[in-house]
Amino acid sequence: MTTYVQTRPSREMRPFPVRAVAILLVLMAIGLVTAIVRYANGIGAISNLSDGRAWGLWISFDLYCGVALAAGGFTLAATVYIFRRKKYYPIVRGAILTAFLGYLMVIAALLVDLGQPWRIWHMIIYWNPHSPLFEVGWCVLLYTLVLALEFSPNVFERFNMQVPLRWIRAIQIPLVIAGIVLSTLHQSSLGSVLLMMPDKIHPLWFTPILPGLFFLSAIAVGPAMVIFESYLSSKAFGHRLDPEIPAGLGRALVWLLALYLLVKLADLLVAGEFGLIFSSALFSVLFLVEVLGGVVAPLILFALPAVRASERGLFWSAVLVVLGLILNRFNVSLLALEGRPGVSYFPHPLEFAISIAIVAAGVLAYVLATRYLPVLQHEAEQPA
Amino acid sequence: MAKAMLIDLTRCIGCRACQAACKQWNDLPAEQTRNNGSYENPPRRSAKTWTTVTFHEITQPPSEAGEEEGFAWVFAKRQCMHCEHPACASACIVGALHKTPDGPVLYDDKKCMGCRYCMIACPYGVPTFEWHKAVPYIRKCTMCADRIALGMEPACAKACPTDAIQFGEREALIVEGRKRIKASPAKYVDHIYGEKEAGGADMLYLSSVPFNELGFPELGEERLDRYAGLAMLAVPPAIVGVTALMAGTYWIIKRREQMMAQAAAEGPEAVESPEEEVA
Ligand code: SF4
Ligand code: SF4
Ligand code: SF4
């Protein structure tokens, strides 16, 4: 059986990052004050949202990008526990932590964005199975629970609670499968939400297979996020990762990005809309930057052995994938989605303050969790 | 039978009595507006103004009868279209919007959580939101469902001095619209807007100029939730399919591992374990 080398320094050795945490707390405090103003005076008091642009930064960034960027959790869990590529075991816990925090961040953003967030539970009692958003809501709810359970061994191990630990391990595989099913639905359902507006989304992005494209791009960005964050956390916390792990993810990314690109372009060809890539003025620019910069370029880079042999090469190629995904989600849910006539929108500074505060809270939680819980340590447990 | 309204823009004189009557009946507060260089006021619908009359200056080409090129006002009274297959209702996460058998598409204050998907989904830009309230709701035209229930016509139809707004049964109003177009084909474009748009609506319009010049969206005849509906139908099979695929994959790979471990234990020559493979 494979053995895992303990390379991480013990937690007592690392000084507490006082300055970084102080900055994060300040950002969170700004967001909190903003949120209080919002609850007292309405969403209009802190945002540039209007009847003409009812969804803005929070939906495009916190929901659309947030969910996609959390895809590392289920792709890695599938790789390790279902496809049993055990060499990725050391990073699966980090990926699940990121996904868990990502979903908590999505919920936090919804609590600001929803007009009456105290009614968020209404979707449990009032059903509309025709609504893609109903599917999204249920997926957020259930997958967050699954992620909490998938993450829980970190807590149980830390406090040496053997009984719940045994229970969780007993249902580990069903749990992982439930997570994969829910993620498949959830990633694609965010695309289904946009299917309701066939006439309002620019044809370069609108397609009946949008849910499929959302799913494919999510499983491509999952490994890229894992490369991205394991590079950062190894730099920040000084633990070393077997270089074969990110290199292997890079190799997988070549295929995932190629598949996504192929389907995306084939769809435009079949729809007879290929020419739009060059004839849509500003939309052409957005599309080309998204596809060339966020898909084609990293695809070529990851295919080069020299890039895969370099930590930084892998990191920057992964950054391209992540940025490309973010641009894609902004394009399809905001920039290429028509607002009401005569309405323009740019997020209010306080909208940014909310999004930044939520990211800050996520980073802080990540720092604390990796510091006090055995997330990055690869202890006794092996994939069942 | 579904109630509907036939709004004949050639009869509208832009007096905005309908706008005022709507505010009065529904107890909607006044809005502070600014002069933005148009007679149109307020410039858009909002949670406080459910119907507005839009003002359009239309240039007319010289007519065959010898009239010179001219310019004309066309006014359009706009509000919720009360669609036959409302996108807002398909979209709503909690089913707070629904089409009633009488025609009106109504909103349930008690259910709404304020996600605003209905506002994004509506092709006519109708639902509006109370942006500056701590406890906000969606607001839009109700076709005066409360008046209809009492056997009265909607407030706007009642108020209109020129009978530009006619309230009645949908089928009958379509017949009436056709008759008017046939009687004066020079006066009308041959199109009852709302008859077929996005699967049809209960607000039917007649006009002397093409509707896109008045800011009406050009929609096909198919309902807007056609793609989203298909995607939702795919959910149950996707659950079953992905579960089976994952469970099957797990079982096969696990089994292969076990067999190899067994072979390694029995035979002297070691078999490579699968984790040496690379993704
Ligand atoms: S016009 Fe818009 S708000 Fe009115 S019923 Fe149709 S989709 Fe709903
Ligand atoms: S804002 Fe309210 S009515 Fe509109 S879709 Fe959301 S829950 Fe439904
Ligand atoms: S009341 Fe009648 S004439 Fe006056 S603006 Fe409304 S529709 Fe036009």
Side-chain angles (χ1 to χ4, degrees), chain B residues 13-26:
Chain B
I13 54 171
C15 70
R16 288 191 290 236
C18 47
Q19 223 175 279
C22 175
K23 286 225 171 199
Q24 218 161 29
W25 177 258
N26 294 297

Side-chain angles (χ1 to χ4, degrees), chain B residues 7-9 11-21 51-53 55 75-77 155-165:
Chain B
I7 303 176
D8 188 336
L9 301 184
R11 295 186 181 183
C12 175
I13 54 171
C15 70
R16 288 191 290 236
C18 47
Q19 223 175 279
T51 183
T52 53
V53 179
F55 286 52
F75 315 104
K77 181 219 184 277
C156 55
K158 176 90 182 145
C160 181
T162 64
D163 249 349
I165 311 172

Side-chain angles (χ1 to χ4, degrees), chain A residues 2 42-44 50-51 54-55 81 84-85 113 115-116 119 122 128-129 131 193 197 199-200 251 340 342 384, chain B residues 44 89-92 109-117 120 122 125 127 129 131 136-137 224 232 257 275 278:
Chain A
T2 325
I43 296 175
S50 66
D51 289 330
W55 282 356
Y81 294 108
R84 306 188 64 75
R85 306 291 169 127
D113 185 80
Q116 298 202 38
R119 286 182 167 184
H122 274 195
N128 179 11
S131 167
V193 164
M197 290 80 77
D199 300 296
K200 282 197 236 177
R251 228 169 353 239
R340 293 185 189 172
Chain B
R44 340 201 130 82
S90 300
C92 178
D109 277 27
K110 285 198 293 296
K111 291 183 179 171
C112 173
M113 62 165 82
C115 70
R116 307 189 296 285
Y117 188 20
I120 305 282
C122 170
F129 187 69
W131 293 101
Y137 292 94
L224 291 169
M232 294 309 289
E257 272 177 23
E275 60 263 34
V278 149

Side-chain angles (χ1 to χ4, degrees), chain A residues 195 205-212 267 271, chain B residues 227 230-231:
Chain A
L195 289 183
W205 287 275
F206 186 86
T207 155
I209 64 158
L210 208 50
D267 175 65
Chain B
Y227 299 120
L230 281 179

Side-chain angles (χ1 to χ4, degrees), chain A residues 1-2 38-45 47 49-56 58-59 78-79 81-88 113-123 126-135 137 173 177 180-181 184-185 192-200 206 208 211 244 248-249 251-252 255 337 340-343 383-384, chain B residues 44-47 87-97 107-137 215 218-220 223-229 231-232 234-235 238-240 242-251 253-254 257 273-279:
Chain A
M1 279 276 100
T2 325
R38 174 248 173 276
Y39 290 120
N41 298 329
I43 296 175
S47 78
L49 295 171
S50 66
D51 289 330
R53 184 57 80 179
W55 282 356
W58 299 324
I59 294 294
T79 309
Y81 294 108
I82 303 300
F83 295 97
R84 306 188 64 75
R85 306 291 169 127
K86 291 177 195 166
K87 85 170 185 204
Y88 297 105
D113 185 80
L114 287 178
Q116 298 202 38
W118 46 89
R119 286 182 167 184
I120 195 166
W121 58 275
H122 274 195
M123 62 168 220
Y126 300 120
W127 285 31
N128 179 11
H130 300 291
S131 167
L133 204 59
F134 172 78
E135 185 190 353
I173 295 300
I177 293 180
I180 296 169
V181 172
T184 307
L185 295 182
S192 313
V193 164
L194 299 169
L195 289 183
M196 201 67 88
M197 290 80 77
D199 300 296
K200 282 197 236 177
F206 186 86
E244 232 332 281
L249 292 176
R251 228 169 353 239
W255 296 104
L337 172 65
R340 293 185 189 172
V343 174
Chain B
R44 340 201 130 82
R45 288 183 301 267
S46 73
C88 60
S90 300
C92 178
I93 179 167
V94 291
L97 288 150
Y107 166 77
D108 187 346
D109 277 27
K110 285 198 293 296
K111 291 183 179 171
C112 173
M113 62 165 82
C115 70
R116 307 189 296 285
Y117 188 20
C118 53
M119 304 176 69
I120 305 282
C122 170
Y124 303 102
V126 168
T128 49
F129 187 69
E130 297 178 320
W131 293 101
H132 291 279
K133 286 201 182 166
V135 183
Y137 292 94
E218 284 178 82
L219 301 167
R223 31 195 300 184
L224 291 169
D225 61 0
R226 58 191 183 275
Y227 299 120
M232 294 309 289
V235 169
I239 295 178
V240 175
V242 176
T243 309
L245 193 69
M246 288 299 129
T249 309
Y250 172 76
W251 186 80
I253 296 182
K254 178 94 184 170
E257 272 177 23
S273 66
E275 60 263 34
E276 301 302 319
E277 285 170 30
V278 149

